[in-house]
């Protein structure tokens, strides 16, 4: 029994990095701003380790860059867009899409964003 539990633990640890690696690549972006207006674009996620990455967005004529991290079905990114600092928290869905809420430091409200793998 002890060997079985140890084997299951090793398999569980091995699955973590593989799941994190599957998050990299190009995504179509569909979102809403604080006021409900819609925007679209593209995002690129580049892995930097088993759990961390960089992310680059091109949306609505602007671009932003950030760092990101995955923990199971949670995926988050801190980003800079011009002079503003923001945070987005996504849920990783079974189909590989990321569904999230974002905000900007010092502002009231939040927007939504869905990243769909290309």
């Amino acid at each position: 029994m002890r060997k079985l539990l140890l084997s299951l633990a090793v398999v569980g640890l091995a699955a973590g990095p593989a799941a994190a690696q599957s998050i990299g690549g190009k995504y179509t972006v569909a979102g809403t701003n604080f006021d409900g207006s819609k925007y679209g674009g593209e995002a690129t996620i580049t892995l930097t380790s088993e759990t961390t990455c960089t992310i680059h967005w091109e949306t609505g004529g602007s671009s932003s860059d950030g760092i990101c991290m995955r923990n199971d079905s949670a995926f988050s990114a801190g980003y800079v867009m011009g002079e503003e600092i923001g945070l987005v928290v996504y849920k990783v869905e079974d189909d590989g899409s990321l569904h999230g809420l974002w905000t900007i430091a010092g502002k009231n409200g939040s927007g939504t964003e869905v990243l769909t793998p290309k």
Side-chain angles (χ1 to χ4, degrees):
M1 179 69 161
R2 197 168 170 191
K3 276 188 177 180
L4 175 63
L5 291 175
L6 181 57
S7 295
L8 290 174
V10 169
V11 168
L13 289 174
Q21 290 175 351
S22 68
I23 204 98
K26 292 192 180 290
Y27 293 79
T28 300
V29 176
T32 59
N33 292 303
F34 288 8
D35 64 2
S37 62
K38 295 179 188 282
Y39 65 88
E42 184 176 282
T44 303
I45 299 172
T46 305
L47 299 173
T48 55
S49 78
E50 293 180 344
T51 57
T52 60
C53 51
T54 60
I55 185 167
H56 176 79
W57 289 269
E58 292 285 338
T59 57
S62 64
S63 65
S64 56
D65 292 286
I67 63 167
C68 41
M69 184 174 187
R70 180 173 182 176
N71 182 17
D72 295 324
S73 65
F75 182 78
S76 58
Y79 63 92
V80 175
M81 185 167 55
E83 297 286 319
E84 299 180 313
I85 298 170
L87 175 68
V88 59
V89 178
Y90 300 97
K91 180 177 183 225
V92 180
E93 300 292 343
D94 291 339
D95 65 359
S97 64
L98 309 172
H99 293 241
L101 293 173
W102 60 270
T103 194
I104 297 172
K107 306 252 177 162
N108 290 324
S110 62
T112 66
E113 190 166 272
V114 176
L115 303 183
T116 305
K118 284 189 155 193

